[in-house]
């Protein structure tokens, strides 16, 4: 770029000087040829007389030769060529009847030459040759060259300083980012990259920070899950241990108490297996290990769950009713749908208690299949609603445990439904009680 800046203007101005020189020289020579044009023969005297009236043109040398190339007139006083033959290329060209001109730039000077034949009745009777040695314009050009060079040097230094500054700033930013990446890789999830500005590096930094935010959230959730899971597993294990120790360490324990303790042990073991089953189900959902979906008509599955749950509801004194429509086909598996309806209905029956009423409804609405499970129990405190689908989250731990809950039922519902592109929400009914609504994408034209 700088090279171009240096050479292009010089080349252009040199070219312009060349062209103007050639034109001026040629017009000068034409003037001289014109003043010689009345002569039928050229000799030293008549040429000198004719040339005497030609205006001073500032040329370095003017030669007039006869048709043979012998010099008749020479403006150079020392070492004059008068009487000698000259064989300059331009003179030879002129004697052959052509105009000739040239201009070169050499050693800080423009050397321009031009020549033309002198004709008398279409006969070449001689030639005029002019030569100019110009250092003035050459000095101007050299000055321009010098200025350009200084300008380029200045630009070069500024560009170098600027790129040095920029690369240092860039290196520092990348260094900061690398440090942050290493820190986070070592497990310091709370570390954030210090980035300022709006350039790409800053954007990478911001992206990295939001990535780390997510990583930290996931890591926190994972830790909480592991600690919650171990706590959940520990409780029934501790109970089993306590019960078995009691049986072993109590002397003369009566068979009735033993039977009671063993029954309790059985219940705790059952709870353990329920929790591990739920955990396994969630892990499978987390790892996206899903059976391939098929078109499932929800209605027969719902009826099956209702048949099973009505016995449980009856036992607890809960009135379980349902209404369902045809044409509710979704892409999932039968087991998943069963699990979702079962978990929600089981909760509704569990948390509405004796004298409660649970209504389940299934309908197709537009391109969705909507399942709602409503009860008239205590409902869910508003502040707990947003967290109700979290793993192990319970509003009333004691009540949930007493009811045999694992705290995982709703998160299984939520994960299962979401994996198939659906949504699930919880709300409180104005007349009291909770309502859970599941929406699946509806499959058009599925089996009725
Ligand atoms: P659990 O095994 O404890 O029932 P879930 O994940 O199924 O776990 O439910 C989480 C919590 O949500 C429950 O502990 C309970 O506090 C609350 N909950 C769920 N369903 C209902 C409902 N129908 N009415 C009131 N509270 C409910």
């Amino acid at each position: 770029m700088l090279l171009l800046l240096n050479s292009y203007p010089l080349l252009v101005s040199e070219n312009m000087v060349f062209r103007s020189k050639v034109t001026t020289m040629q017009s000068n020579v034409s003037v001289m040829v014109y003043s010689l044009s009345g002569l039928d023969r050229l000799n030293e005297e008549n040429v000198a007389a004719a040339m005497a009236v030609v205006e001073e043109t500032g040329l370095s040398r003017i030669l007039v030769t006869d048709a043979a190339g012998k010099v008749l007139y020479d403006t150079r006083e020392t070492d004059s060529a008068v009487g000698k033959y000259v064989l300059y290329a331009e003179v030879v060209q002129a004697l052959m009847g052509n105009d000739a001109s040239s201009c070169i730039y050499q050693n800080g000077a423009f050397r321009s030459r031009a020549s033309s034949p002198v004709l008398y009745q279409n006969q070449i009777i001689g030639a005029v040759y002019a030569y100019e040695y110009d250092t003035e314009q050459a000095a101007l050009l050299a000055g321009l060259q010098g200025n350009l060079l200084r300008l380029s040097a200045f630009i070069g230094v500024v560009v170098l300083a600027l790129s040095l500054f920029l690369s240092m700033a860039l290196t520092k930013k990348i260094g900061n980012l690398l440090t942050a990446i290493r820190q986070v890789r070592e497990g310091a999830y709370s570390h954030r990259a210090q980035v300022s500005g709006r350039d790409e590096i800053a954007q990478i930094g911001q992206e990295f920070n939001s990535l780390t935010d997510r990583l930290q959230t996931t890591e926190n959730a994972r830790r909480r899950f592991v600690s919650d899971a171990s706590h959940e597993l520990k409780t029934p294990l501790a109970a089993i241990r306590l019960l078995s120790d009691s049986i072993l360490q109590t002397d003369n324990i009566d068979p009735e108490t033993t039977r009671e303790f063993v029954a309790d042990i059985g219940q705790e073991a059952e709870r353990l297996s329920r929790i591990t089953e739920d955990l396994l189900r969630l892990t499978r959902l987390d790892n996206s290990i899903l059976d391939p979906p098929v078109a499932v008509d929800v209605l027969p599955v719902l009826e099956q769950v209702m048949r099973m749950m009505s016995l449980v509801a009856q036992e607890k004194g809960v009135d379980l009713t349902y209404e369902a429509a045809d044409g509710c086909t979704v892409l999932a598996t039968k087991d998943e749908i069963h699990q979702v309806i079962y978990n929600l209905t089981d909760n509704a029956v569990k948390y509405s208690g004796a004298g409660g009423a649970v209504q389940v409804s299934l309908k197709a609405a537009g391109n969705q299949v909507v399942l709602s499970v409503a009860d008239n129990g205590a409902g869910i405190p508003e502040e707990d609603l947003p967290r109700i689908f979290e793993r192990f989250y319970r509003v009333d731990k004691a009540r949930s445990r007493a009811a045999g809950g694992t705290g995982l039922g709703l998160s299984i519902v939520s994960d299962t439904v979401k994996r198939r592109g659906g949504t699930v929400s919880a709300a409180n009914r104005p007349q009291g009680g909770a309502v859970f609504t599941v929406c699946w994408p509806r499959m058009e034209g599925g089996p009725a």
Side-chain angles (χ1 to χ4, degrees):
M1 180 67 197
L2 281 178
L3 211 71
L4 201 73
L5 181 73
N6 259 296
S7 55
Y8 185 69
L10 278 180
L11 269 175
V12 170
S13 23
E14 218 175 82
N15 222 341
M16 266 164 55
V17 173
F18 283 165
R19 259 185 287 157
S20 92
K21 287 269 177 216
V22 164
T23 324
T24 324
M25 292 292 283
Q26 268 172 345
S27 69
N28 276 334
V29 169
S30 309
V31 170
M32 288 182 264
V33 168
Y34 180 73
S35 62
L36 294 169
S37 63
L39 306 172
D40 58 348
R41 265 189 67 242
L42 299 182
N43 59 38
E44 283 185 29
E45 289 73 36
N46 62 11
V47 169
M51 293 304 285
V53 296
V54 175
E55 265 179 48
E56 177 61 50
T57 48
L59 294 170
S60 313
R61 192 179 187 189
I62 301 166
L63 285 180
V64 180
T65 72
D66 64 9
K70 193 171 91 180
V71 178
L72 303 172
Y73 175 84
D74 187 355
T75 50
R76 200 157 77 184
E77 273 153 27
T78 51
D79 202 11
S80 167
V82 174
K84 294 178 191 159
Y85 288 91
V86 285
L87 285 171
Y88 297 147
E90 287 80 5
V91 175
V92 175
Q93 280 290 320
L95 291 177
M96 284 166 70
N98 307 317
D99 288 338
S101 54
S102 69
C103 183
I104 55 167
Y105 177 70
Q106 203 178 44
N107 300 333
F110 283 105
R111 293 159 202 264
S112 339
R113 300 175 173 88
S115 67
S116 272
V118 182
L119 303 174
Y120 181 74
Q121 290 182 349
N122 283 339
Q123 289 287 312
I124 297 167
I125 56 166
V128 173
Y129 166 85
Y131 170 73
E132 190 200 54
Y133 180 81
D134 179 6
T135 49
E136 237 172 74
Q137 294 209 32
L140 271 175
L141 208 71
L144 178 70
Q145 192 170 20
N147 280 342
L148 280 176
L149 225 97
R150 274 190 290 279
L151 187 71
S152 318
F154 175 71
I155 293 176
V157 169
V158 168
V159 167
L160 203 77
L162 214 72
S163 44
L164 217 73
F165 171 74
L166 281 177
S167 78
M168 268 162 68
L170 208 70
T171 315
K172 192 164 169 251
K173 276 187 174 179
I174 294 178
N176 279 346
L177 202 61
L178 273 177
T179 315
I181 291 173
R182 284 196 197 109
Q183 297 256 22
V184 173
R185 190 192 61 199
E186 298 300 323
Y189 295 115
S190 56
H191 190 85
R192 293 288 175 274
Q194 301 300 323
V195 284
S196 54
R198 291 156 161 258
D199 56 10
E200 277 76 6
I201 305 274
Q203 281 175 25
I204 295 177
Q206 280 151 12
E207 287 295 325
F208 170 75
N209 283 347
S210 49
L211 192 78
T212 315
D213 280 345
R214 285 196 60 183
L215 204 66
Q216 191 175 20
T217 314
T218 316
E219 177 62 15
N220 288 347
R222 192 187 66 82
R223 284 190 189 155
R224 204 174 54 230
F225 180 67
V226 170
S227 102
D228 285 353
S230 16
H231 180 76
E232 290 298 326
L233 294 171
K234 236 163 66 188
T235 320
L237 281 174
I240 290 173
R241 182 105 188 262
L242 194 78
L243 290 163
S244 57
D245 279 356
S246 305
I247 297 171
L248 287 176
Q249 283 161 15
T250 316
D251 296 328
N252 305 325
I253 186 164
D254 65 285
E256 191 54 34
T257 316
T258 313
R259 198 184 308 272
E260 228 173 76
F261 280 12
V262 172
D264 286 349
I265 289 175
Q267 258 177 21
E268 292 300 329
E270 207 177 292
R271 197 141 83 93
L272 268 179
S273 82
R274 258 200 318 272
I275 295 174
T276 38
E277 243 169 60
D278 280 357
L279 282 175
L280 274 176
R281 203 165 279 138
L282 278 171
T283 314
R284 244 179 275 134
L285 283 166
D286 276 350
N287 295 336
S288 299
I289 306 173
L290 297 175
D291 290 335
V294 289
V296 181
D297 183 4
V298 185
L299 182 57
V301 187
L302 177 86
E303 285 168 340
Q304 193 189 350
V305 179
M306 290 303 119
R307 271 196 299 277
M308 187 171 78
M309 282 309 297
S310 61
L311 299 174
V312 182
Q314 224 170 10
E315 211 172 278
K316 294 200 168 158
V318 175
D319 178 34
L320 173 65
T321 54
Y322 74 94
E323 51 177 4
D326 273 338
C328 295
T329 308
V330 298
L331 258 187
T333 66
K334 242 184 191 159
D335 284 350
E336 284 170 15
I337 307 281
H338 189 281
Q339 182 84 53
V340 169
I341 303 174
Y342 174 82
N343 281 11
L344 292 178
T345 317
D346 184 46
N347 274 352
V349 170
K350 217 159 61 180
Y351 296 110
S352 56
V358 174
Q359 289 126 22
V360 180
S361 105
L362 173 74
K363 59 177 189 269
N367 53 5
Q368 288 191 318
V369 168
V370 183
L371 168 83
S372 90
V373 181
D375 63 63
N376 63 348
I380 300 155
E382 287 299 318
E383 67 272 18
D384 293 306
L385 271 178
R387 302 193 58 191
I388 207 83
F389 294 101
E390 286 177 20
R391 292 167 189 195
F392 297 117
Y393 193 84
R394 292 146 159 150
V395 177
D396 181 348
K397 276 197 190 310
R399 193 166 167 208
S400 159
R401 285 224 180 84
T406 60
L408 294 171
L410 286 182
S411 47
I412 291 175
V413 168
S414 166
D415 284 10
T416 311
V417 171
K418 281 183 189 157
R419 289 277 168 199
R420 299 299 185 195
T423 56
V424 56
S425 60
N428 283 312
R429 301 166 77 197
Q431 64 270 42
V435 54
F436 287 82
T437 312
V438 177
C439 295
W440 282 284
R442 182 174 170 226
M443 231 192 111
E444 298 281 348

